[in-house]
Amino acid sequence: MSGVRLRVLSYNVHGLRDDRSALIGLVRELAPDVLIVQEAPRRFRWRQKCASLADDFGMVVAAGGMPSLGNLLLVSLRVRVHETWCLRYPLTPGRHLRGAAFARCSVPGGEVTVSGSHLATDPAERPDQAALWKEALSSVEGPLVAGGDLNEGPGGGAWRTVADGLIDTASHGGGATLTYPATLPRQRLDALFVSPDIGIERYEVVDNEAARRASDHLPVLAELALS
């Protein structure tokens, strides 16, 4: 498949509560151009913590952190960031405040907008969050990559809302898709979607010893081709 190559990794890092050395080694080995992070630092000293995490990975911060409630977009030096913005979902009293991060980027020969989100564990509020994220995704012009922890599988209404009109990268290759829990995956909560103008060359749920130590979720990797 022709096109400009882009390697994207989506990863719920569990608030960095697990084996950070394993996490750093794994991400550096996978060497993504774009890393979509869920449960990144979002509170006290979040700027320094996000910058430190990016540096550990050999990447730089593109967007997110506290403004998007823990959704963080990191990029390699190959990627140029042109515009960033964040979205916050309405707070349900007693629940966890959530949001989404966006970055309009380019690599030599191609452009893409990347977004990441982490939807609610509560099935009552998750559909509204999915609808708000989908509305924001639908307003993006040009190639689009959306990754996140949807906290439900492909049969759920929130998943279907986000996926509508996009291509699930797991449709390529037919390999393993379960991502949670990392030690013995039983559910598919994590996904990468792309607009139809992006080619999918490879899809993988990264499942090895380092991934099982690094977080309670397994990361999702996709090799993409920008037309």
Side-chain angles (χ1 to χ4, degrees), residues 45-199:
R45 296 180 60 244
W46 66 271
R47 289 183 179 85
Q48 295 93 325
K49 291 177 181 178
C50 288
S52 176
L53 183 64
D55 187 61
D56 285 343
F57 293 154
M59 306 181 79
V60 296
V61 174
M66 188 192 70
S68 61
L69 292 315
N71 296 287
L72 182 65
L73 304 179
L74 305 179
V75 297
S76 72
L77 295 180
R78 177 173 176 255
V79 179
R80 182 178 179 184
V81 179
H82 301 276
E83 182 183 6
T84 67
W85 64 100
C86 294
L87 170 68
R88 289 190 172 193
Y89 306 136
L91 176 63
T92 300
R95 301 296 302 174
H96 195 61
L97 191 59
R98 298 179 184 269
F102 294 79
R104 186 173 62 84
C105 307
S106 67
V107 293
E111 296 185 353
V112 64
T113 299
V114 179
S115 180
S117 189
H118 185 188
L119 301 184
T121 57
D122 182 0
E125 64 175 340
R126 191 163 55 239
D128 289 340
Q129 293 178 355
L132 289 169
W133 189 28
K134 183 62 177 181
E135 181 181 8
L137 293 172
S138 298
S139 69
V140 171
E141 297 182 358
L144 171 69
V145 176
D149 176 357
L150 277 64
N151 264 314
E152 67 178 35
W159 183 294
R160 295 196 303 271
T161 294
V162 176
D164 184 38
L166 300 175
I167 307 300
D168 186 344
T169 56
S171 62
H172 179 86
T177 60
L178 303 181
T179 62
Y180 181 85
T183 52
L184 188 63
R186 296 186 299 273
Q187 301 179 73
R188 184 181 180 211
L189 304 182
D190 307 88
L192 272 170
F193 303 101
V194 298
S195 52
D197 51 0
I198 295 179

